[in-house]
Amino acid sequence: MSNYQTNQIKLINTSLIDPHPDNPRKQIGDVTDLAASIRANGLLSPLSVVPHGQRYRVIAGHRRLAACKQAGTGAVPCFVLDLDPLQQLEAMVTENCQREQLTVLEEADAIQGMLDLGATTAAVAHRLGRSADYVRDRAKAASIKADVRKTRDDFDQLTIGQLMAIARYDGQPDRQERLAHAAGTSNFDYILHNIEVEDRRSQWFADVSALLATGTTGLNVIEDPGETFSDSEWRYSGAIFPAAGTPEETIEELRKQNPDAVSVHEATQTIYLWDRRDAAAEAEKEAQRAAEQAERDARQHVLEEYAATTAGKRMAWLHGHLHAIKRAKLIETTARLGLLQTIDPDPTGFTKDLHTWNDAACAREQFAAIAGIKPEQALAELHTHLDSPDWPTYAVMILTARIEWFISPNDWDWSGDDNVSRRIPGYYLILQDLGYEPSDDETEHLDQLVAAITEEDQPEEDEEEDE
């Protein structure tokens, strides 16, 4: 206030004095204690006011004016100043800054107000005793729109660094609101970094696209094919994503990769690389793939038919012969089948208690074929027979049915790279011990399975010695 101070003091009734509408300090706070002091001791420091028609406006002393009105004080001493609007604002800003009463945003708005009234950046900086950058930073912060400021109640408490970051994205309210919500949290720097990365990507893409559009890069630029992976003319061969290098370096990298064409993909801000399709070569590859698939399908069909035929043969034999086998042999077979199922590489379901026969226990249809019982009657029959003297026969039926259910067509395929099925040879040994006679074809398949298992089990050091 020193440059605008006067020695002339005038007593003015508080009812004629109003707060200044441009006061940078928006919240004067609680003045109860100050009112009590004024009520006891009077107003010790005069207010500074300017005439406004038949009334006055406070330049310095807004809190004291509010306290005087709360205390019921009548006339108070005032310095009456003759200041133009810019000088009034300068005086209020200087007063509040000297007393450290303004938030950063309040100071920013006041500085912008001074600039709007015609003050230069240098003049404001000189008046406040600050640098020109200090003034410019706060003027930038003052540009944040009211809608963004409303995103949080304590927006005026943000730091100058946070306000500057938010103001940087003027015209992008979504980004400004994201930053405003994150200000004061650990997410603020993370969100700001991601926004900066997005901007760098966008700028990179715009610059590279502009270079490609000049037609001077030596690259064949085409329209982005509608079907990225199934275009009839072009085959997708890769992409160039935003990188740390310059756009010129990106163009050079594209030249090194030497694609038949490139396209500008707006949606992902990526440059796609394309090779021209060789229709004849691709047709040949497709024909080869089709032939290989047909061969696999044919082999699978043969395996399925073979598995079904042999399963039918085994279960028919079991149905016709189990009741004639001696009880002691059946008990022994029950133990062997149980052991086989326990050590099988995939024993799920095998070791369930025999009395828990239901759909979840699997093999109902296989059991019906072996036992000659309708599937829907299997459960009742089993509960009856497992508690009778002929339980070994039905125990063997259950266990063989479960193994039959688990044997898949691919278990007969010994040409796989690994995990050759081990249940079939062991199962056949048990069946043969009961009297089952494999056909020559079954014997040939079994020999091939055993050979594959033996090769798979061969120690690695033996393989190295063989080599």
Side-chain angles (χ1 to χ4, degrees):
M1 291 295 299
S2 58
N3 291 351
Y4 303 117
Q5 193 59 277
T6 175
N7 292 325
Q8 296 181 357
I9 296 179
K10 182 178 180 180
L11 288 174
I12 303 174
N13 195 292
T14 56
S15 64
L16 297 176
I17 307 174
D18 302 312
H20 200 293
D22 295 330
N23 181 30
R25 189 179 186 193
K26 304 306 179 186
Q27 302 294 330
I28 63 172
D30 185 10
V31 295
T32 302
D33 291 343
L34 181 57
S37 174
I38 291 174
R39 193 179 294 113
N41 305 307
L43 181 63
L44 302 180
S45 299
L47 306 178
S48 294
V49 300
V50 292
H52 184 70
Q54 300 300 314
R55 301 179 65 80
Y56 297 88
R57 285 179 172 176
V58 178
I59 295 298
H62 284 82
R63 280 178 54 79
R64 283 170 282 156
L65 174 63
C68 286
K69 290 186 176 184
Q70 183 173 315
T73 304
V76 294
C78 300
F79 292 114
V80 181
L81 309 177
D82 182 16
L83 305 175
D84 62 31
L86 175 57
Q87 291 173 326
Q88 293 175 29
L89 186 53
E90 287 179 344
M92 287 186 289
V93 173
T94 303
E95 167 76 11
N96 283 288
C97 288
Q98 288 174 346
R99 298 190 180 191
E100 298 181 353
Q101 294 177 326
L102 297 180
T103 66
V104 173
L105 193 59
E106 287 174 336
E107 184 183 14
D109 287 338
I111 287 174
Q112 185 58 52
M114 295 165 65
L115 296 173
D116 291 342
L117 290 171
T120 64
T121 299
V124 174
H126 176 73
R127 182 63 185 170
L128 299 179
R130 303 288 190 176
S131 68
D133 286 341
Y134 182 95
V135 173
R136 280 190 287 267
D137 287 350
R138 279 147 184 78
K140 184 65 176 176
S143 69
I144 300 173
K145 302 294 189 295
D147 288 345
V148 178
R149 298 186 185 196
K150 292 177 182 177
T151 56
R152 52 190 295 170
D153 294 336
D154 60 346
F155 192 89
D156 62 342
Q157 300 301 313
L158 301 187
T159 67
I160 184 61
Q162 293 165 346
L163 292 172
M164 286 288 291
I166 295 171
R168 188 189 311 166
Y169 299 100
D170 186 31
Q172 303 176 57
D174 289 345
R175 283 181 166 183
Q176 288 188 313
E177 289 179 13
R178 284 171 58 196
L179 288 169
H181 283 301
T185 73
S186 58
N187 281 337
F188 184 81
D189 289 340
Y190 174 76
I191 292 175
L192 180 60
H193 171 74
N194 284 345
I195 291 175
E196 291 170 345
V197 170
E198 290 172 6
D199 284 346
R200 287 196 296 271
R201 286 176 60 96
S202 297
Q203 188 61 53
W204 172 90
F205 181 73
D207 292 343
V208 173
S209 299
L211 283 174
L212 290 172
T214 63
T216 61
T217 61
L219 295 165
N220 179 24
V221 183
I222 62 172
E223 290 291 329
D224 206 11
E227 298 295 333
T228 305
F229 299 104
S230 60
D231 187 77
S232 60
E233 183 179 1
W234 299 101
R235 179 174 58 82
Y236 173 81
S237 63
I240 293 289
F241 300 95
T246 65
E248 290 75 15
E249 290 171 339
T250 300
I251 296 298
E252 186 58 33
E253 177 62 27
L254 285 170
R255 292 196 188 101
K256 288 180 182 178
Q257 297 198 31
N258 194 30
D260 291 331
V262 299
S263 68
V264 177
H265 195 67
E266 295 281 352
T268 60
Q269 294 190 335
T270 307
I271 307 301
Y272 283 174
L273 283 64
W274 304 91
D275 290 332
R276 193 179 296 278
R277 289 188 182 277
D278 185 335
E282 293 197 358
E284 182 179 347
K285 287 183 179 179
E286 182 59 34
Q288 182 179 352
R289 284 194 294 267
E292 292 172 351
Q293 184 60 50
E295 183 180 348
R296 288 192 293 270
D297 292 343
R299 180 171 180 78
Q300 185 65 28
H301 179 68
V302 170
L303 287 172
E304 290 172 356
E305 285 192 336
Y306 185 77
T309 300
T310 54
K313 180 175 178 292
R314 292 188 302 270
M315 289 189 289
W317 185 89
L318 289 166
H319 173 68
H321 292 81
L322 281 183
H323 287 284
I325 297 174
K326 293 182 178 180
R327 189 172 188 274
K329 187 65 175 178
L330 291 173
I331 293 175
E332 176 191 335
T333 301
T334 299
R336 292 178 66 187
L337 288 169
L339 179 60
L340 174 64
Q341 295 174 11
T342 302
I343 65 175
D344 189 276
D346 184 13
T348 304
F350 280 156
T351 54
K352 292 181 180 178
D353 184 85
L354 298 184
H355 283 83
T356 62
W357 186 260
N358 51 39
D359 286 335
C362 315
R364 176 174 289 196
E365 292 184 5
Q366 286 77 5
F367 173 78
I370 294 170
I373 300 172
K374 292 181 179 180
E376 58 270 19
Q377 297 174 338
L379 184 61
E381 290 284 341
L382 281 174
H383 277 296
T384 298
H385 288 287
L386 288 175
D387 291 328
S388 67
D390 63 347
W391 70 264
T393 303
Y394 284 86
V396 172
M397 288 180 181
I398 291 174
L399 294 170
T400 53
R402 289 183 177 179
I403 292 179
E404 292 290 349
W405 186 88
F406 266 90
I407 293 176
S408 73
N410 290 330
D411 285 337
W412 285 103
D413 185 4
W414 59 86
S415 61
D417 293 334
D418 48 31
N419 294 325
V420 178
S421 175
R422 298 165 186 270
R423 66 171 63 96
I424 291 179
Y427 181 43
Y428 265 84
L429 286 176
I430 296 173
L431 292 180
Q432 287 175 273
D433 198 36
L434 289 174
Y436 178 79
E437 295 182 1
S439 65
D440 292 342
D441 190 46
E442 285 177 286
T443 300
E444 180 182 351
H445 278 76
L446 286 169
D447 290 343
Q448 291 169 326
L449 280 175
V450 171
I453 292 171
T454 302
E455 181 180 355
E456 186 177 281
D457 290 344
Q458 185 178 19
E460 293 183 3
E461 55 269 20
D462 289 352
E463 295 178 1
E464 293 175 359
E465 289 176 5
D466 291 343
E467 292 176 0

